[in-house]
Amino acid sequence: MPRGNVKERLIEHAEDVFRRKGFDAASVRDITEAAGVPKGSFYNHFAGKRDLAAEIVARYARATDFSALSDEGPALDRLHRHLTGQIDRIRASGVEFGCLLGTFAGDSGTAGRRVRESVRDALDDWAGAMTRTIAEGQATGEITADRPPADLAVFLLDLLEGATLRARTTGDQSSVADEVAIALDALRA
């Protein structure tokens, strides 16, 4: 099997293993068994589990679809479409596992600096994309200008991540969409 395919298989299967077990409980052996590759091949591609986790976070972040935020139309509608798309993404990977960023954020104390920085960068980029849309909504008078757009973006992101974390305990993500709708209504000017 070509080298690149082994690396891709490790990344693909490790994401699932990390989602199911969390960073701490997932072992290199769990990952290589899930990928169907010899344990030694892991170290041909990654120095350790932390390097692999940081790579997975970066790929997850790059795959985040921000297109709804730059579409035409009212800012609140664009935010709603974007956040609903993220809820659907989480639902597709398994409500019981939540958002990959939230999973790694929860494990960041033991996952190490590189994973923590990857999660922080991903969340900062995400908040930045929403900040621009919120600022546009504030400029048109659609969104309240009582708070800075960056604060409102972080609020929405934290609400989504927190509601998703709570939904993991119930296996029902329907309340996440309800909470997003409540938050967006509260942002109306």
Side-chain angles (χ1 to χ4, degrees), residues 66-89:
F66 296 113
S67 63
L69 295 173
S70 57
D71 283 348
E72 297 293 319
L76 285 171
D77 290 349
R78 291 183 281 149
L79 286 164
H80 184 263
R81 283 193 310 274
H82 170 70
L83 294 170
T84 299
Q86 297 311 303
I87 293 168
D88 291 343
R89 181 184 191 193

Side-chain angles (χ1 to χ4, degrees), residues 129-140:
M130 290 195 300
T131 295
R132 290 184 288 280
T133 303
I134 292 168
E136 291 171 15
Q138 287 178 329
T140 63

Side-chain angles (χ1 to χ4, degrees), residues 147-168:
R147 301 213 184 261
D151 291 355
L152 295 177
V154 169
F155 162 75
L156 287 175
L157 185 53
D158 289 352
L159 170 104
L160 177 67
E161 289 294 331
T164 298
L165 181 62
R166 188 171 43 78
R168 287 177 67 176

Side-chain angles (χ1 to χ4, degrees), residues 25-122:
S27 68
V28 170
R29 182 177 182 175
D30 293 331
I31 294 164
T32 57
E33 284 181 358
V37 300
K39 186 176 178 183
S41 67
F42 178 92
Y43 296 102
N44 291 332
H45 302 284
F46 302 100
K49 193 169 70 164
R50 289 177 175 167
D51 290 335
L52 174 58
E55 173 73 18
I56 289 169
V57 169
R59 283 180 181 225
Y60 184 85
R62 285 192 303 270
T64 302
D65 182 1
F66 296 113
S67 63
L69 295 173
S70 57
D71 283 348
E72 297 293 319
L76 285 171
D77 290 349
R78 291 183 281 149
L79 286 164
H80 184 263
R81 283 193 310 274
H82 170 70
L83 294 170
T84 299
Q86 297 311 303
I87 293 168
D88 291 343
R89 181 184 191 193
I90 293 164
R91 187 177 294 124
S93 65
V95 174
E96 66 276 17
F97 305 124
C99 175
L100 185 70
L101 297 177
T103 298
F104 279 117
D107 289 341
S108 68
T110 54
R113 178 190 55 79
R114 196 159 166 235
V115 173
R116 187 172 43 255
E117 288 173 356
S118 292
V119 171
R120 185 188 63 229
D121 291 347

